[in-house]
Amino acid sequence: MIAIGVVAVAIVLAAWINLQAQQAAERVSRAIAVRESSERFLGHLRDAETGQRGYLLTGSASYLEPFTDGVGAVAPALERLERLVAPDPQQKARVVALREPVQRKLAELDATIGLMREGRQAAALAVIRDGQGITAMEALRSLIEQIQHSENIRLVALNRNEERRRLWASIGMVVALAGLAFAAWQQLRIRQRRSVSLSESNAALEQIVGERTLELENERLRIEALLRDVSHRVGNNLAMVSALLNVQSRQSREPAVREALQQAQSRIQAIAAGQRRLRLDLDTDEIEARPYMEDLLAEIGKAAEGRPIEIVLAMDAIRLPGRDAVSFVVIVNELVTNAIKHAFPRGMAGKIVIRFDETMADGAPALALSVQDDGVGMPAEIEAKGLGQTVLASLLRSMQATMTTAPLDPAGERPGTCVTLIFPKRA
């Protein structure tokens, strides 16, 4: 009877261990599936957002494909996640809470894409800057992190329970009769295989995460390459427009028309040069200012060939916001071209210095740009009526910047001119 009782206890113990291990395996599989499903759901939203940003920045319809695919996959992914967490009321509540920010984010994405298709890029960017989509995305990330954190805690608890079960099983097997030794050993092997399976599942999950990270990095590099290609093509197209204006100006017999066309050509050529050299950092939406400005001034310097005018760039390593890069090109082009035109009449020699410095304005970080020349001084009555002043005023308003003009050396024979612009850093 004792032997039968021991055998019965051993059988019951083995059955209980097997049942607990099977349940633990199911819970582990479900927890891993929830983590993977939540990551894929968030990945679809990121893909849609990446397509949106790429389309808004470049206007290229090629970005609509990842946008459409990402948006289309969001709802099925959310439904699958909701089915997976159905047995857990807390997780189910978190998944249900995802729906409201998902709707807000998708509404923001659809609205911006619609505005961009209508040619209203500024309105689309304003929707993004409004922050509703960013807030929704942050809420989604927070909820997904909570879901994944809960599953991680569950996996840790399951692992601890498994360790405790191993301990009790070992004690039970030591106490069991010699006749149950083989059965105990067999059961131990089964549990060991399940432990290996759990380790393999974790390794597979880590591999999936690593592959996804590599895919995202490759996608980022691909987008950067596409942006560079688009910038170069836009620059080439602008250069073609500049060439057409040059041809038109040569054919015109009216001096005023020829001068207006030449001025327009100069501005377009500067923008084209800046667009071709645009190297945007997607992570920060910024560019390195020094090489960008060096290339621009080299292009502007061609207009002064044959004249003894030295153009110098004095600046440290500064990064400019990508959205304002072309605006800085136009501003520097206008100021330097103005100096070349008015500060050094009759072939006079001189020097133009362009400075960029980080500074503080009204207690907040700002960027200071100054253009100095040692010429005869700028004719205010001409400058006030020029198209360049109108262009500058419009750009400065859009960038919330201020401009001051003063003689560089009021007591000198050649007073020169110093134009200083302060640009507050925008969020």
Side-chain angles (χ1 to χ4, degrees):
M1 291 295 294
I2 295 177
I4 295 174
V6 171
V7 171
V9 170
I11 292 174
V12 171
L13 179 62
W16 178 80
I17 292 173
N18 184 63
L19 178 61
Q20 291 296 314
Q22 188 174 19
Q23 291 176 350
E26 292 175 355
R27 292 169 186 160
V28 168
S29 298
R30 183 183 295 112
I32 293 174
V34 169
R35 282 168 37 175
E36 293 177 353
S37 181
S38 63
E39 186 62 30
R40 280 195 292 270
F41 162 76
L42 192 59
H44 293 318
L45 278 174
R46 291 195 191 102
D47 292 341
E49 188 177 56
T50 299
Q52 173 216 31
R53 298 298 168 86
Y55 182 57
L56 294 184
L57 287 173
T58 65
S60 173
S62 64
Y63 288 99
L64 293 178
E65 183 176 352
F67 166 78
T68 304
D69 293 343
V71 170
V74 168
L78 184 58
E79 291 174 359
R80 182 173 184 274
L81 182 60
E82 192 168 11
R83 289 195 299 271
L84 286 172
V85 302
D88 188 334
Q90 291 183 345
Q91 291 288 66
K92 184 176 180 180
R94 294 187 182 106
V95 174
V96 170
L98 289 171
R99 293 191 175 275
E100 191 274 332
V102 165
Q103 292 175 356
R104 284 194 285 128
K105 184 61 182 177
L106 292 179
E108 183 251 16
L109 293 173
D110 290 338
T112 55
I113 293 296
L115 290 171
M116 188 66 183
R117 284 173 171 165
E118 295 173 3
R120 300 168 60 190
Q121 185 185 35
L125 294 175
V127 172
I128 293 179
R129 287 193 294 269
D130 182 59
Q132 293 295 325
I134 296 175
T135 303
M137 200 64 182
E138 290 175 350
L140 289 170
R141 289 194 186 95
S142 177
L143 287 170
I144 291 298
E145 288 176 358
Q146 293 176 27
I147 291 171
Q148 293 179 342
H149 180 67
S150 179
E151 296 303 326
N152 289 336
I153 293 175
R154 193 190 311 277
L155 286 173
V156 171
L158 288 172
N159 187 53
R160 290 176 179 171
N161 291 336
E162 181 68 15
E163 292 175 357
R164 285 194 292 269
R165 280 196 299 274
R166 289 178 193 169
L167 177 62
W168 285 108
S170 299
I171 295 174
M173 289 175 186
V174 169
V175 175
L177 296 175
L180 299 177
F182 177 78
W185 174 77
Q186 190 73 9
Q187 186 65 28
L188 180 61
R189 288 191 59 189
I190 293 173
R191 286 195 303 275
Q192 288 175 341
R193 283 197 293 268
R194 286 186 177 138
S195 179
V196 171
S197 176
L198 177 61
S199 299
E200 291 175 350
S201 297
N202 288 334
L205 179 60
E206 291 177 359
Q207 181 180 0
I208 291 173
V209 172
E211 291 173 354
R212 179 59 179 166
T213 301
L214 180 60
E215 289 175 3
L216 292 174
E217 178 63 19
N218 291 335
E219 182 65 15
R220 185 183 70 83
L221 294 175
R222 186 180 73 85
I223 292 174
E224 286 183 350
L226 288 174
L227 282 176
R228 286 194 296 269
D229 182 63
V230 169
S231 296
H232 189 75
R233 292 188 183 188
V234 171
N236 288 342
N237 290 338
L238 290 172
M240 183 179 294
V241 174
S242 174
L244 293 175
L245 289 176
N246 185 34
V247 172
Q248 187 65 43
S249 68
R250 290 179 180 177
Q251 293 179 352
S252 176
R253 297 181 180 179
E254 293 292 333
V257 174
R258 187 182 301 114
E259 181 179 359
L261 291 173
Q262 289 174 348
Q263 290 180 358
Q265 179 205 1
S266 173
R267 293 184 176 96
I268 293 175
Q269 187 63 29
I271 296 173
Q275 189 70 38
R276 282 197 299 267
R277 294 167 175 82
L278 191 62
R279 297 293 184 269
L280 185 64
D281 186 338
L282 290 180
D283 294 332
T284 60
D285 192 27
E286 293 177 335
I287 63 169
E288 290 291 343
R290 186 174 185 85
Y292 190 60
M293 287 298 159
E294 285 175 346
D295 291 339
L296 169 64
L297 294 177
E299 190 73 27
I300 297 175
K302 295 177 182 179
E305 287 182 355
R307 299 183 62 183
I309 299 175
E310 180 184 4
I311 300 177
V312 178
L313 178 63
M315 65 178 296
D316 296 325
I318 293 177
R319 297 172 68 85
L320 298 177
R323 62 182 175 183
D324 295 329
V326 175
S327 297
F328 279 107
V329 166
V330 176
I331 291 170
V332 173
N333 179 68
E334 290 295 336
L335 294 176
V336 175
T337 303
N338 246 3
I340 293 173
K341 181 178 179 182
H342 298 294
F344 308 105
R346 299 180 298 279
M348 180 184 296
K351 182 178 181 180
I352 301 174
V353 179
I354 298 91
R355 298 182 184 277
F356 272 92
D357 296 293
E358 291 183 335
T359 184
M360 299 292 290
D362 297 329
L367 181 67
L369 164 64
S370 67
V371 177
Q372 305 171 358
D373 67 75
D374 58 356
V376 298
M378 299 291 285
E381 65 280 2
I382 296 178
E383 184 64 19
K385 299 178 182 179
L387 176 60
Q389 188 70 12
T390 303
V391 172
L392 281 176
S394 176
L395 288 174
L396 295 181
R397 279 196 303 271
S398 67
M399 299 171 73
Q400 301 176 1
T402 59
M403 181 176 72
T404 57
T405 303
L408 183 63
D409 183 10
E413 181 180 351
R414 287 166 50 168
T417 301
C418 177
V419 180
T420 303
L421 301 96
I422 303 297
F423 300 89
K425 289 191 176 181
R426 297 185 286 175

